[in-house]
Amino acid sequence: LRRGVLQVGSVVPESPVDRWNAAQESDCLRVRPGDCIIAVNGVAAQRDDQCRGVLDQLVEQPQVFLSVRRPLRENETGYTALLQAVYVLFNPAKLGDVCALLERNRGRERSLFIRICNKYAMVHDDWWDLLLCLHRHRIRGKDELSDLEACLEQQRGNELALFDSWCAKWFDDAEESAQRVADMDTKAWPKLHLTLRRKSAGAPLGIRHDRTALDQKGQLIVCELLPDSPAALAGVCPGDVIEHIGGTDAAEVALRSRGRATESDTVASLEVELVLRRPTSLSTCVPTS
């Protein structure tokens, strides 16, 4: 609320929202945790009044019309995930512009992110929020959050340069590495077969891939693995090039899953077979536990 953002935390059973959800045939029309309410009865959520206008509408009016924005996808990574998270923090009405912004600024993603930070960080607490967002979505690096917080406190007034250096360290190197992989002849690499085991058929595999390599080269290159995910437990490594998921072309699976919650929407089974290529220079990953 301090930033002028009204985000749904949960839906209370038997509430008007819960009854609305029950009446909708399409899941996309149901209000979900994480949704951002940008206006109520035409009254926009604003930072100036800490959403007081929309809260008054919710309390005083017997019927309300909600304008809602929803984050694009949960399985994005890199600057796509980062910009999406920043707009959720400060201006959810811009969520629909993320893909177009990145397309217009291809090759200048870090500069775009820094400009957005400069636009929305009005007080020092905003930089703290941005740091949490940046740390949560980083592609690489194991920096302790407490150390980063201390550094941010010491660099008051120099936050833009500090964030620029963190982006170069956590995002750009990893994306450049994925692009180098995309330019290689991966067909000459050894082929591996791994079995991923999930607790439920709807659980995500836990793979975050390089979007540019998928769009331009049709390759599913692993950038990051979610901790304790089926992929991490099976020994998938960053840098692996996945060719098939459950017997289906991996790029096709990834492209079909866009706009859905997870890649598991396409591969619905407890055990999923992966066929991937791994360079001999990449040491075998030790499955996490």
Side-chain angles (χ1 to χ4, degrees), residues 11 44 85 90 121 245:
V11 175
F90 294 99
I245 300 176

Side-chain angles (χ1 to χ4, degrees), residues 24-98:
Q24 306 310 308
E25 293 184 2
S26 174
D27 184 60
C28 68
L29 294 177
R30 299 186 181 112
V31 178
R32 309 173 187 169
D35 284 351
C36 298
I37 300 173
I38 64 171
V40 179
N41 292 339
V43 177
Q46 297 181 5
R47 183 168 183 154
D48 292 344
D49 65 357
Q50 297 184 345
C51 295
R52 176 49 53 191
V54 295
L55 291 174
D56 287 345
Q57 290 290 315
L58 290 171
V59 172
E60 297 172 2
Q61 299 301 320
Q63 181 171 313
V64 294
F65 177 82
L66 304 181
S67 296
V68 177
R69 291 292 183 274
R70 179 171 295 157
L72 301 176
R73 289 170 287 272
E74 296 178 359
N75 59 339
E76 294 290 3
T77 186
Y79 284 106
T80 303
L82 186 58
L83 262 63
Q84 177 176 287
V86 171
Y87 279 132
V88 168
L89 280 176
F90 294 99
N91 190 2
K94 298 282 286 183
L95 279 170
D97 299 341
V98 169

Side-chain angles (χ1 to χ4, degrees), residues 209-249:
H209 63 272
D210 180 76
R211 184 188 182 96
T212 301
L214 178 65
D215 290 340
Q216 297 183 358
K217 303 284 187 176
Q219 289 182 309
L220 189 66
I221 302 174
V222 179
C223 279
E224 183 186 9
L225 300 163
L226 300 182
D228 299 321
S229 64
L233 294 171
V236 178
C237 294
D240 285 346
V241 179
I242 301 176
E243 294 185 337
H244 293 91
I245 300 176
T248 304
D249 181 77

Side-chain angles (χ1 to χ4, degrees), residues 128-141:
W128 288 104
D129 293 332
L130 285 167
L131 171 57
L132 292 173
C133 178
L134 189 64
H135 186 262
R136 183 171 65 252
H137 291 282
R138 72 194 188 283
I139 293 177
R140 64 190 305 167

Side-chain angles (χ1 to χ4, degrees), residues 7-280:
Q7 189 171 20
V8 178
S10 61
V11 175
V12 178
E14 303 303 324
S15 66
V17 172
D18 189 45
R19 291 194 292 272
W20 161 269
N21 284 350
Q24 306 310 308
E25 293 184 2
S26 174
D27 184 60
C28 68
L29 294 177
R30 299 186 181 112
V31 178
R32 309 173 187 169
D35 284 351
C36 298
I37 300 173
I38 64 171
V40 179
N41 292 339
V43 177
Q46 297 181 5
R47 183 168 183 154
D48 292 344
D49 65 357
Q50 297 184 345
C51 295
R52 176 49 53 191
V54 295
L55 291 174
D56 287 345
Q57 290 290 315
L58 290 171
V59 172
E60 297 172 2
Q61 299 301 320
Q63 181 171 313
V64 294
F65 177 82
L66 304 181
S67 296
V68 177
R69 291 292 183 274
R70 179 171 295 157
L72 301 176
R73 289 170 287 272
E74 296 178 359
N75 59 339
E76 294 290 3
T77 186
Y79 284 106
T80 303
L82 186 58
L83 262 63
Q84 177 176 287
V86 171
Y87 279 132
V88 168
L89 280 176
F90 294 99
N91 190 2
K94 298 282 286 183
L95 279 170
D97 299 341
V98 169
C99 292
L101 276 172
L102 288 170
E103 185 62 31
R104 290 199 301 269
N105 290 272
R106 186 180 293 272
R108 305 186 305 275
E109 292 87 354
R110 178 168 25 126
S111 176
L112 172 64
F113 171 69
I114 296 301
R115 293 200 310 270
I116 292 173
C117 288
N118 190 42
K119 177 178 180 179
Y120 290 113
M122 298 181 179
V123 296
H124 192 64
D125 282 348
D126 293 337
W127 289 108
W128 288 104
D129 293 332
L130 285 167
L131 171 57
L132 292 173
C133 178
L134 189 64
H135 186 262
R136 183 171 65 252
H137 291 282
R138 72 194 188 283
I139 293 177
R140 64 190 305 167
K142 298 182 179 180
D143 306 72
E144 292 293 336
L145 183 58
S146 58
D147 294 336
L148 299 173
E149 290 173 338
C151 185
L152 180 61
E153 185 63 29
Q154 294 169 1
Q155 295 290 325
R156 279 178 177 258
N158 194 38
E159 291 91 351
L160 286 176
L162 185 61
F163 272 65
D164 187 73
S165 67
W166 282 336
C167 283
K169 176 181 179 182
W170 295 338
F171 289 86
D172 295 359
D173 290 346
E175 294 192 350
E176 289 170 5
S177 176
Q179 287 305 300
R180 287 195 294 271
V181 170
D183 293 334
M184 297 178 181
D185 180 16
T186 59
K187 293 296 183 182
W189 294 356
K191 181 183 289 188
L192 299 177
H193 296 258
L194 298 178
T195 301
L196 279 58
R197 294 178 173 84
R198 302 186 289 190
K199 294 181 179 179
S200 66
L205 303 181
I207 298 170
R208 289 181 174 170
H209 63 272
D210 180 76
R211 184 188 182 96
T212 301
L214 178 65
D215 290 340
Q216 297 183 358
K217 303 284 187 176
Q219 289 182 309
L220 189 66
I221 302 174
V222 179
C223 279
E224 183 186 9
L225 300 163
L226 300 182
D228 299 321
S229 64
L233 294 171
V236 178
C237 294
D240 285 346
V241 179
I242 301 176
E243 294 185 337
H244 293 91
I245 300 176
T248 304
D249 181 77
E252 180 183 341
V253 172
L255 290 169
R256 284 212 312 257
S257 68
R258 285 186 178 176
R260 303 181 184 183
T262 66
E263 69 270 49
S264 61
D265 293 330
T266 305
V267 184
S269 59
L270 293 179
E271 291 193 352
V272 180
E273 298 291 333
L274 293 191
V275 178
L276 56 85
R277 300 277 182 173
R278 179 175 297 169
T280 55

